[in-house]
Amino acid sequence: MSAPIRILIVDDHPMVAEGIRALLETFDDLEVVGTLQDGQEAIDRAADLAPDVVLLDLNMPRLNGLSATEILRERHPDIAVLILSMHDAPEYVATALRHGAAGYCLKDQPTEEIRRAIDVVHGGGRYLCPGAESALEPSGDGSEPLTSREQTILLHLAQGRSNKEVAHALDISVRTVETHRKNLKRKLGISSTAGLTRYALEHGVLQGTGLLP
């Protein structure tokens, strides 16, 4: 038999977290490795708890679900993040996906549907709760929005910093910077670092940094 899927539940309402835990523990092939109360705890404990899937609420103290998702994906790319929220508006779903979430599920979904969401994201797929498909519709100009982290990376690159310098400044790995650089080029349709710098100049990315008047 294969090893059970390791689940970490992060929700600032202990009763909700324990309720979800009780539901998931009815499945023999799921193992809940912990329940935490905010995004910062998830970041701090991810390495030692080693979950396969993190079930993450959006609205939490200290560090919200969106920021936690972005950092988790950056530091632990093998961990799939499934947002488990009560918000069903398409803009919530779209924003979560842009920040790196592999799926979005509503808390009031039946247990079997939450289980299906876990299976999908653990298998490398993308899960959207029923009715959320509109969140994947492309924007009118065909562009794919940059995440806040990608905007930060773009700012550093536009200042002429190397991958190593950016990695040191943001306390991330050089490989992570390289991945962000590739994603920036893909999203913006730009093939060179000079092109990224030109884009930053043309779109006011450097305004307010002291590098431009």
Side-chain angles (χ1 to χ4, degrees):
M1 293 180 61
S2 59
I5 301 173
R6 297 171 60 84
I7 308 294
L8 175 61
I9 300 168
V10 187
D11 194 300
D12 63 325
H13 296 92
M15 290 183 64
V16 173
E18 289 304 321
I20 296 170
R21 179 177 198 144
L23 292 174
L24 297 183
E25 286 182 338
T26 63
F27 296 95
D28 292 337
D29 57 347
L30 297 183
E31 178 186 355
V32 178
V33 297
T35 56
L36 306 176
Q37 295 190 25
D38 63 62
Q40 188 59 55
E41 279 192 304
I43 301 302
D44 295 341
R45 299 291 307 282
D48 62 278
L49 293 175
D52 298 307
V53 178
V54 176
L55 269 56
L56 200 61
D57 192 14
L58 285 179
N59 300 320
M60 295 181 293
R62 288 212 296 169
L63 190 67
N64 64 44
L66 294 177
S67 298
T69 296
E70 207 163 62
I71 297 171
L72 279 170
R73 293 296 300 143
E74 197 168 83
R75 298 183 182 178
H76 308 281
D78 293 336
I79 296 177
V81 175
L82 174 63
I83 298 297
L84 197 58
S85 174
M86 64 181 181
H87 300 292
D88 61 356
E91 55 266 29
Y92 279 96
V93 183
T95 301
L97 296 178
R98 285 199 299 270
H99 280 73
Y104 196 103
C105 188
L106 297 179
K107 290 181 179 179
D108 61 1
Q109 292 290 309
T111 304
E112 291 293 338
E113 190 64 24
I114 296 175
R115 170 62 206 261
R116 191 172 80 85
I118 290 171
D119 286 340
V120 170
V121 300
H122 179 249
R126 170 177 282 178
Y127 172 89
L128 290 180
C129 56
E133 292 80 4
S134 61
L136 289 181
E137 293 177 359
S139 57
D141 60 1
S143 64
E144 187 177 349
L146 302 182
T147 67
S148 58
R149 178 59 96 183
E150 287 169 344
Q151 293 173 18
T152 301
I153 297 288
L154 176 60
L155 173 61
H156 282 275
L157 294 176
Q159 293 175 26
R161 293 176 176 167
S162 67
N163 288 351
K164 186 175 181 180
E165 289 170 331
V166 176
H168 178 74
L170 300 180
D171 193 25
I172 57 179
S173 70
V174 173
R175 187 176 69 173
T176 296
V177 177
E178 291 171 348
T179 299
H180 281 305
R181 186 194 288 261
K182 290 178 182 177
N183 287 338
L184 282 166
K185 290 179 179 179
R186 175 183 59 80
K187 286 185 175 184
L188 301 176
I190 294 171
S191 60
S192 66
T193 300
L196 290 177
T197 302
R198 185 164 56 251
Y199 175 92
L201 288 168
E202 292 174 352
H203 290 80
V205 174
L206 297 178
Q207 294 290 348
T209 64
L211 296 179
L212 288 179

mmCIF file of all heavy atoms in Angstrom, residues 158-177:
data_model
loop_
_atom_site.group_PDB
_atom_site.id
_atom_site.type_symbol
_atom_site.label_atom_id
_atom_site.label_comp_id
_atom_site.label_asym_id
_atom_site.label_seq_id
_atom_site.Cartn_x
_atom_site.Cartn_y
_atom_site.Cartn_z
ATOM 1 N N ALA A 158 14.992 44.943 -12.517
ATOM 2 C CA ALA A 158 15.031 46.197 -13.276
ATOM 3 C C ALA A 158 16.083 47.146 -12.731
ATOM 4 O O ALA A 158 16.533 48.055 -13.431
ATOM 5 C CB ALA A 158 13.656 46.872 -13.237
ATOM 6 N N GLN A 159 16.506 46.934 -11.476
ATOM 7 C CA GLN A 159 17.573 47.743 -10.892
ATOM 8 C C GLN A 159 18.954 47.201 -11.251
ATOM 9 O O GLN A 159 19.970 47.694 -10.782
ATOM 10 C CB GLN A 159 17.409 47.788 -9.367
ATOM 11 C CG GLN A 159 16.161 48.534 -8.913
ATOM 12 C CD GLN A 159 15.956 48.464 -7.413
ATOM 13 O OE1 GLN A 159 16.902 48.301 -6.648
ATOM 14 N NE2 GLN A 159 14.720 48.569 -6.975
ATOM 15 N N GLY A 160 18.961 46.173 -12.107
ATOM 16 C CA GLY A 160 20.230 45.637 -12.592
ATOM 17 C C GLY A 160 20.872 44.600 -11.698
ATOM 18 O O GLY A 160 22.048 44.264 -11.862
ATOM 19 N N ARG A 161 20.130 44.083 -10.729
ATOM 20 C CA ARG A 161 20.696 43.100 -9.810
ATOM 21 C C ARG A 161 20.718 41.703 -10.431
ATOM 22 O O ARG A 161 19.836 41.331 -11.193
ATOM 23 C CB ARG A 161 19.885 43.072 -8.504
ATOM 24 C CG ARG A 161 20.028 44.356 -7.712
ATOM 25 C CD ARG A 161 19.165 44.371 -6.474
ATOM 26 N NE ARG A 161 19.394 45.582 -5.687
ATOM 27 C CZ ARG A 161 18.615 45.995 -4.698
ATOM 28 N NH1 ARG A 161 17.549 45.285 -4.382
ATOM 29 N NH2 ARG A 161 18.893 47.102 -4.044
ATOM 30 N N SER A 162 21.725 40.944 -10.061
ATOM 31 C CA SER A 162 21.851 39.572 -10.552
ATOM 32 C C SER A 162 20.913 38.657 -9.769
ATOM 33 O O SER A 162 20.368 39.039 -8.726
ATOM 34 C CB SER A 162 23.292 39.083 -10.371
ATOM 35 O OG SER A 162 23.606 38.967 -8.987
ATOM 36 N N ASN A 163 20.735 37.431 -10.268
ATOM 37 C CA ASN A 163 19.908 36.462 -9.554
ATOM 38 C C ASN A 163 20.416 36.254 -8.125
ATOM 39 O O ASN A 163 19.640 36.162 -7.178
ATOM 40 C CB ASN A 163 19.903 35.116 -10.286
ATOM 41 C CG ASN A 163 19.091 35.166 -11.565
ATOM 42 O OD1 ASN A 163 18.399 36.142 -11.832
ATOM 43 N ND2 ASN A 163 19.169 34.114 -12.353
ATOM 44 N N LYS A 164 21.739 36.179 -7.988
ATOM 45 C CA LYS A 164 22.337 35.954 -6.668
ATOM 46 C C LYS A 164 22.055 37.123 -5.739
ATOM 47 O O LYS A 164 21.746 36.940 -4.554
ATOM 48 C CB LYS A 164 23.836 35.735 -6.817
ATOM 49 C CG LYS A 164 24.546 35.349 -5.524
ATOM 50 C CD LYS A 164 26.028 35.037 -5.774
ATOM 51 C CE LYS A 164 26.719 34.624 -4.482
ATOM 52 N NZ LYS A 164 28.158 34.312 -4.723
ATOM 53 N N GLU A 165 22.154 38.336 -6.256
ATOM 54 C CA GLU A 165 21.912 39.533 -5.443
ATOM 55 C C GLU A 165 20.447 39.610 -5.010
ATOM 56 O O GLU A 165 20.141 39.973 -3.874
ATOM 57 C CB GLU A 165 22.309 40.787 -6.227
ATOM 58 C CG GLU A 165 23.815 40.934 -6.403
ATOM 59 C CD GLU A 165 24.173 42.044 -7.368
ATOM 60 O OE1 GLU A 165 23.370 42.334 -8.287
ATOM 61 O OE2 GLU A 165 25.269 42.620 -7.216
ATOM 62 N N VAL A 166 19.548 39.266 -5.936
ATOM 63 C CA VAL A 166 18.112 39.279 -5.613
ATOM 64 C C VAL A 166 17.809 38.220 -4.551
ATOM 65 O O VAL A 166 17.074 38.460 -3.594
ATOM 66 C CB VAL A 166 17.262 39.035 -6.871
ATOM 67 C CG1 VAL A 166 15.785 38.950 -6.503
ATOM 68 C CG2 VAL A 166 17.489 40.133 -7.895
ATOM 69 N N ALA A 167 18.405 37.044 -4.727
ATOM 70 C CA ALA A 167 18.190 35.953 -3.768
ATOM 71 C C ALA A 167 18.644 36.369 -2.371
ATOM 72 O O ALA A 167 17.949 36.114 -1.378
ATOM 73 C CB ALA A 167 18.949 34.706 -4.223
ATOM 74 N N HIS A 168 19.797 37.037 -2.303
ATOM 75 C CA HIS A 168 20.323 37.480 -1.002
ATOM 76 C C HIS A 168 19.412 38.540 -0.391
ATOM 77 O O HIS A 168 19.118 38.505 0.818
ATOM 78 C CB HIS A 168 21.731 38.037 -1.171
ATOM 79 C CG HIS A 168 22.338 38.551 0.101
ATOM 80 N ND1 HIS A 168 22.791 37.718 1.106
ATOM 81 C CD2 HIS A 168 22.543 39.830 0.543
ATOM 82 C CE1 HIS A 168 23.251 38.451 2.107
ATOM 83 N NE2 HIS A 168 23.110 39.733 1.788
ATOM 84 N N ALA A 169 18.938 39.469 -1.207
ATOM 85 C CA ALA A 169 18.106 40.568 -0.706
ATOM 86 C C ALA A 169 16.766 40.069 -0.171
ATOM 87 O O ALA A 169 16.240 40.608 0.811
ATOM 88 C CB ALA A 169 17.873 41.594 -1.815
ATOM 89 N N LEU A 170 16.214 39.036 -0.798
ATOM 90 C CA LEU A 170 14.890 38.544 -0.417
ATOM 91 C C LEU A 170 14.943 37.286 0.440
ATOM 92 O O LEU A 170 13.896 36.745 0.806
ATOM 93 C CB LEU A 170 14.058 38.275 -1.685
ATOM 94 C CG LEU A 170 13.809 39.482 -2.598
ATOM 95 C CD1 LEU A 170 12.987 39.073 -3.812
ATOM 96 C CD2 LEU A 170 13.115 40.598 -1.835
ATOM 97 N N ASP A 171 16.153 36.804 0.714
ATOM 98 C CA ASP A 171 16.350 35.606 1.528
ATOM 99 C C ASP A 171 15.650 34.386 0.923
ATOM 100 O O ASP A 171 14.926 33.650 1.599
ATOM 101 C CB ASP A 171 15.853 35.840 2.963
ATOM 102 C CG ASP A 171 16.321 34.740 3.922
ATOM 103 O OD1 ASP A 171 17.360 34.115 3.635
ATOM 104 O OD2 ASP A 171 15.648 34.500 4.939
ATOM 105 N N ILE A 172 15.853 34.207 -0.383
ATOM 106 C CA ILE A 172 15.328 33.036 -1.084
ATOM 107 C C ILE A 172 16.468 32.427 -1.892
ATOM 108 O O ILE A 172 17.555 32.997 -1.978
ATOM 109 C CB ILE A 172 14.149 33.396 -2.011
ATOM 110 C CG1 ILE A 172 14.563 34.485 -3.031
ATOM 111 C CG2 ILE A 172 12.945 33.871 -1.200
ATOM 112 C CD1 ILE A 172 13.461 34.875 -3.994
ATOM 113 N N SER A 173 16.242 31.258 -2.481
ATOM 114 C CA SER A 173 17.307 30.600 -3.227
ATOM 115 C C SER A 173 17.469 31.214 -4.612
ATOM 116 O O SER A 173 16.535 31.801 -5.174
ATOM 117 C CB SER A 173 17.002 29.109 -3.366
ATOM 118 O OG SER A 173 15.915 28.896 -4.242
ATOM 119 N N VAL A 174 18.649 31.048 -5.176
ATOM 120 C CA VAL A 174 18.912 31.519 -6.541
ATOM 121 C C VAL A 174 17.992 30.804 -7.516
ATOM 122 O O VAL A 174 17.478 31.402 -8.466
ATOM 123 C CB VAL A 174 20.391 31.286 -6.913
ATOM 124 C CG1 VAL A 174 20.632 31.619 -8.382
ATOM 125 C CG2 VAL A 174 21.318 32.127 -6.034
ATOM 126 N N ARG A 175 17.750 29.516 -7.271
ATOM 127 C CA ARG A 175 16.863 28.753 -8.162
ATOM 128 C C ARG A 175 15.449 29.332 -8.170
ATOM 129 O O ARG A 175 14.790 29.401 -9.204
ATOM 130 C CB ARG A 175 16.817 27.293 -7.727
ATOM 131 C CG ARG A 175 16.054 26.404 -8.711
ATOM 132 C CD ARG A 175 16.106 24.954 -8.301
ATOM 133 N NE ARG A 175 15.322 24.722 -7.086
ATOM 134 C CZ ARG A 175 15.083 23.523 -6.576
ATOM 135 N NH1 ARG A 175 15.599 22.443 -7.152
ATOM 136 N NH2 ARG A 175 14.360 23.378 -5.478
ATOM 137 N N THR A 176 14.997 29.793 -6.997
ATOM 138 C CA THR A 176 13.668 30.406 -6.918
ATOM 139 C C THR A 176 13.620 31.688 -7.732
ATOM 140 O O THR A 176 12.645 31.952 -8.438
ATOM 141 C CB THR A 176 13.307 30.702 -5.449
ATOM 142 O OG1 THR A 176 13.223 29.471 -4.738
ATOM 143 C CG2 THR A 176 11.971 31.419 -5.350
ATOM 144 N N VAL A 177 14.681 32.488 -7.655
ATOM 145 C CA VAL A 177 14.739 33.721 -8.449
ATOM 146 C C VAL A 177 14.712 33.390 -9.937
ATOM 147 O O VAL A 177 14.016 34.034 -10.727
ATOM 148 C CB VAL A 177 15.994 34.543 -8.106
ATOM 149 C CG1 VAL A 177 16.073 35.785 -9.001
ATOM 150 C CG2 VAL A 177 15.990 34.951 -6.641
#
